[in-house]
Amino acid sequence: MQRSLASLAALVGVLAALGCGDQTVPPTAGLRLSSAKPITVTCSFNSMNSLVAQYFNGTTDKQIVTSLINAMQTAYNANDTTTTRDRGFDAMTHIASQVKAGNADFQDASSLTNALLACMLFSNGELPQTFPEDFTTATNPALDGGYDVRGEPPTDPDTNPGQVVYARPTSFNSNGVPTHEGFSGMAPAPNGSTIPGWSQIIHTTRAPIRVLLYGKPGSNSLSYDWRAVPRTVSYVAPGGGPGALVGLCTVGTSTLVHETGTTFTGFNPFADAYFIDPALCQQFAVAPSRWDPLHLLGKLFAPAPLWGNPGGVGGLTGGHSEFDDDQTAMTATFDLQPPANVQVCAPVAGQFNAGCPNSALFTVALKTSGSGTRPDGTVDNGPVGPATVHLTAITNNGTFGQLCQVTDSIAGTFVCDPLGDTTGTNITQSSGGPPGFADATFLKLFFTKTGAERLVANGSIPQRTITAQTTSNKMNVKP
């Protein structure tokens, strides 16, 4: 199965006033109001029922959502904030279903979403940055928005990891690849050989463990704006590590992604966007139904190695913003150079530190950085990681030197780089990813021959054509 390289957003707009209602959220509920807009949204269950009648198609859906709002109001009056929010999320799942079914009344969908949020007793930090929010792109089936609820059952059965949140593409180039609006998705990051459910990776400050994910195209043709309520949500995989992936359907093995809606701090780690398929992206241009979850699941989740093919994303552990891709060039530099002088070592397997004296052992550290250009021409410079770094050595006259490393001090084991190995594959470390972007650090290196030596470091991003090489200061290996 082919999959694509994927990349990794502020919404503005004036919404219709929802009017005064029978229930008003007190100031302590933390409504986020924009000082630039005179329009406000207060909690009104009567207004919600009116919007339900206007928006939903079919008597059954109207009845179900009305009953959810009634249950929400009962919990609200009883100060049961968890149930209040839970039933609000339930109602939003029905909005999401209507969007996918082609309901074109996006104005009422946006207004109803804001009305639900106004009654869900979120704090200022949990609500969208601008409230009321403009959900019209997210809920318009004719545009490239995204709108879905993920989290605890019943909307997130953990037995089904294929609950990818997709944007719906509508515009394509001559090759059938999504263009200006882009095609993006969010999904749980694989954890070993399994894909966790959303409920396993979502972390919220208050119950329930659920989130509304919504999005729209970003500021250029290869970026996308993903947002969430509660805004304080984070994603952490079981056991730690990034829990969610964001992908864009773009092509190019030198592409890395990063968050551009916040201060740039570095490129996101490369990972395979297993839920984005370049062949499938092209099919959207001609398929009768371009956004069909069953079609997507059948194509994308057939048995295949999750990390086997090039495709790209970044890991997310915090809030959301615009995600962009860069054609990235990488550099590797010595943060810690080797010493000017070291003693030669004749290693003996099985002895402490392979029998090398302390004067023969040394440490070096390398950082990996990147410079990338976005599709709009913006240039970003910052750390890149994780990146694989290999060490080898050359003498003053350009021939290969014998570089070795103690691998277990107690057992006295060591490994040496074969003479003539241009990449130094036997002596390998990785630089770290965000947030720390730790150096690739090589401990207890030594030489087995005297002479003037330099270290050569070769860095690469696995499955990318992004590479870097650098040479250390000269060092003298003495008897």
Side-chain angles (χ1 to χ4, degrees), residues 331-339 362-369 389-394 403 439-442 445 447 453-459 468-475:
T331 59
T333 56
F334 280 89
D335 249 359
L336 177 62
Q337 289 276 358
F362 63 96
T363 297
V364 297
L366 291 103
K367 66 179 179 181
T368 51
S369 303
V389 181
H390 306 295
L391 277 186
T392 187
I394 56 173
L403 177 68
D439 286 353
T441 301
F442 296 81
L445 299 168
F447 281 99
E453 302 275 359
R454 294 180 188 270
L455 302 180
V456 178
N458 292 278
Q469 187 179 85
T470 189
T471 304
S472 75
N473 295 342
K474 186 177 74 172
M475 56 191 306

Side-chain angles (χ1 to χ4, degrees), residues 357-380:
N358 288 336
S359 57
L361 301 175
F362 63 96
T363 297
V364 297
L366 291 103
K367 66 179 179 181
T368 51
S369 303
S371 176
T373 303
R374 304 181 204 169
D376 64 2
T378 301
V379 176
D380 297 299

Side-chain angles (χ1 to χ4, degrees), residues 33-119:
L33 305 179
S34 170
S35 59
K37 299 177 183 178
I39 297 172
T40 62
V41 178
T42 58
C43 180
S44 169
F45 289 100
N46 283 342
S47 293
M48 270 192 269
N49 287 323
S50 174
L51 289 167
V52 168
Q54 293 169 207
Y55 177 65
F56 283 93
N57 295 321
T59 302
T60 300
D61 283 334
K62 292 179 194 277
Q63 290 175 341
I64 291 173
V65 178
T66 297
S67 67
L68 288 171
I69 291 174
N70 289 339
M72 183 180 177
Q73 184 173 12
T74 299
Y76 180 97
N77 292 336
N79 295 315
D80 181 356
T81 57
T82 297
T83 302
T84 301
R85 285 188 287 272
D86 219 6
R87 298 295 79 77
F89 281 125
D90 284 342
M92 290 175 190
T93 66
H94 289 272
I95 296 175
S97 295
Q98 287 284 309
V99 174
K100 295 182 181 102
N103 188 329
D105 186 8
F106 54 86
Q107 292 287 0
D108 282 331
S110 180
S111 297
L112 179 55
T113 301
N114 278 306
L116 289 164
L117 292 176
C119 291

